[in-house]
């Protein structure tokens, strides 16, 4: 039996072409999952929350690490199906995170309220990048309590840190062209125990130009 190359050679003088479904590998788009990555950009801003609390919000951008290539993911295809593939094509891709809120403690002259119970995600973020939060005994409303003391993270403490990024679809939004988009974003971070920090130099560089 002739293989496909021989068959095509035999029909070079005709206008006939062929489609072989078994040789059609559909393009796989990046799917949801846990990806090894490094934090390569961080932006912060302070905002009032619900008109009652004040938070410092950390918006990070991660770059997917070479180790992504060794992992398997279930990814959507252009024809609406899904396929299992490795992460080779996703290495080096940059993904923004949703904001990590650090609820601030008010000074005596501040008018906003404290919200220490809202800092769980910030505590987990600190743990993911290897920053310890010591237990301290404090007095709150006349009662002594043991609490985790949270650091004020600097850019230097965050950039280049290895993490495992849980990536899922964010909230859909509609662009000026009227099309609805539902981009992937980092929902939360966990510790990448085998990951190694990298050096990050952001001066004069765009996200896609950040070196490993």
């Amino acid at each position: 039996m002739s293989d496909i190359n021989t068959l095509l050679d035999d029909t070079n003088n005709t206008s006939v072409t062929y489609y072989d479904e078994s040789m059609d590998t559909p393009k796989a788009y990046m799917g949801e999952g846990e990806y090894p990555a490094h934090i390569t950009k961080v932006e912060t801003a302070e905002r009032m929350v619900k008109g009652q609390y004040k938070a410092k919000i950390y918006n990070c951008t991660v770059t997917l690490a070479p180790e992504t290539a060794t992992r398997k993911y279930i990814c959507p295809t252009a024809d609406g199906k899904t396929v299992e593939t490795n992460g080779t094509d996703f290495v080096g891709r940059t993904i923004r995170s949703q904001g990590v809120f650090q609820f601030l403690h008010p000074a005596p002259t501040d008018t906003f309220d404290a919200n220490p119970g809202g800092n769980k995600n910030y505590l987990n973020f600190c743990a993911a990048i290897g920053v310890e939060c010591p237990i301290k005994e404090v007095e709150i409303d006349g009662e002594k309590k043991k609490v985790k003391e949270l650091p004020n993270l600097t850019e230097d403490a965050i950039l280049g840190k290895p993490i495992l990024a849980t990536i899922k679809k964010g909230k859909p939004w509609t662009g000026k062209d009227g099309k609805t988009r539902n981009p992937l974003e980092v929902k939360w971070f966990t510790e990448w125990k085998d990951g190694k920090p990298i050096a990050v130099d952001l001066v004069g560089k765009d996200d896609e130009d950040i070196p490993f």
Side-chain angles (χ1 to χ4, degrees):
M1 180 179 293
S2 300
D3 62 22
I4 188 67
N5 292 324
T6 303
L7 181 62
L8 292 176
D9 287 342
D10 291 343
T11 58
N12 278 340
N13 295 324
T14 74
S15 61
V16 177
T17 58
Y18 293 87
Y19 168 68
D20 184 352
E21 183 178 7
S22 68
M23 299 179 69
D24 185 358
T25 303
K27 176 178 174 59
Y29 297 95
M30 185 174 165
E32 297 181 333
E34 185 180 75
Y35 291 81
H38 295 91
I39 300 174
T40 48
K41 185 177 181 179
V42 60
E43 298 170 299
T44 60
E46 290 189 4
R47 297 282 189 273
M48 291 298 297
V49 181
K50 298 181 179 180
Q52 184 178 2
Y53 313 115
K54 190 174 185 179
K56 185 175 183 180
I57 306 169
Y58 296 78
N59 290 107
C60 300
T61 298
V62 306
T63 300
L64 302 190
E67 287 82 354
T68 299
T70 65
R71 296 193 171 209
K72 296 289 187 179
Y73 299 96
I74 302 298
C75 298
T77 60
D79 57 5
K81 299 178 181 179
T82 57
V83 63
E84 184 181 63
T85 182
N86 62 44
T88 299
D89 290 342
F90 312 135
V91 172
R93 184 168 299 187
T94 58
I95 307 289
R96 281 178 56 85
S97 74
Q98 67 178 12
V100 178
F101 285 60
Q102 177 194 13
F103 286 96
L104 304 177
H105 191 79
T109 56
D110 289 325
T111 58
F112 62 89
D113 295 335
N115 185 25
N119 277 325
K120 182 177 180 179
N121 286 341
Y122 186 71
L123 173 65
N124 291 340
F125 179 63
C126 290
I129 63 174
V131 175
E132 293 187 5
C133 299
I135 297 176
K136 300 286 185 179
E137 186 174 73
V138 298
E139 186 172 313
I140 301 175
D141 296 330
E143 181 182 355
K144 289 186 177 181
K145 292 185 176 181
K146 289 185 177 180
V147 299
K148 290 288 186 74
E149 184 177 74
L150 303 178
N152 295 313
L153 294 174
T154 63
E155 186 178 59
D156 287 343
I158 300 172
L159 288 177
K161 291 298 180 69
I163 47 86
L164 294 176
T166 297
I167 296 176
K168 295 182 177 293
K169 287 185 177 180
K171 293 181 179 179
W173 59 278
T174 303
K176 293 182 180 179
D177 57 3
K179 294 182 179 180
T180 299
R181 294 171 174 81
N182 195 193
L184 294 170
E185 67 178 13
V186 181
K187 290 294 186 180
W188 62 84
F189 305 85
T190 52
E191 182 185 7
W192 179 12
K193 294 182 179 179
D194 297 327
K196 305 298 182 184
I198 62 171
V200 177
D201 181 7
L202 296 180
V203 178
K205 294 185 179 292
D206 296 325
D207 287 351
E208 295 182 353
D209 296 326
I210 295 170
F212 283 101

